[in-house]
Amino acid sequence: MIIYDKAAWHIDAGMREEVVVRRLKAVFDFLNSNDMLSEEGKEEYELGIDDSCSLNERSVNFKGNEFLKQYYDEVIDNDADSIIKALAEKLKIYSNS
């Protein structure tokens, strides 16, 4: 299974939990609003993103997987506000390819 990101990875590396959760919530917000979450991802999103969150290939549909494989590593180091802008810019590129 492809795991794109896990809250625990960042928390274990010393990042504050609230920062990690806010960032992953921003990613899930983006994926949800762009119809990229799978049913499993929608369920996780609706239950609420927390410190146990894992963004993986089962969290997203085909479009989401293709998008994340191509761009996620380029944008994840942004803060929660900037990550949405970065993902939106990458989505424009992805949609035009």
Side-chain angles (χ1 to χ4, degrees):
M1 174 180 357
I2 297 170
I3 300 174
Y4 297 106
D5 211 346
K6 286 179 90 168
W9 292 345
H10 301 283
I11 294 166
D12 291 348
M15 189 178 284
R16 289 190 349 244
E17 181 180 324
E18 58 273 6
V19 172
V20 173
V21 171
R22 187 171 51 244
R23 213 166 61 166
L24 283 171
K25 183 177 179 326
V27 171
F28 270 80
D29 286 343
F30 175 85
L31 294 170
N32 185 57
S33 65
N34 286 285
D35 195 31
M36 292 188 201
L37 289 179
S38 66
E39 289 305 313
E40 187 174 320
K42 288 176 186 176
E43 185 176 318
E44 183 171 10
Y45 180 66
E46 289 169 6
L47 289 172
I49 304 305
D50 60 18
D51 63 341
S52 68
C53 179
S54 173
L55 177 60
N56 59 64
E57 67 183 325
R58 294 187 341 218
S59 304
V60 291
N61 58 25
F62 179 81
K63 178 182 173 183
N65 269 303
E66 293 301 306
F67 179 75
L68 292 176
K69 282 180 199 174
Q70 197 166 358
Y71 298 112
Y72 194 69
D73 287 341
E74 294 178 33
V75 301
I76 190 51
D77 289 330
N78 289 296
D79 62 32
D81 295 329
S82 300
I83 201 166
I84 295 297
K85 284 181 162 180
L87 285 168
E89 288 174 15
K90 297 299 182 184
L91 183 59
K92 287 179 190 176
I93 294 167
Y94 176 77
S95 297
N96 290 328
S97 60

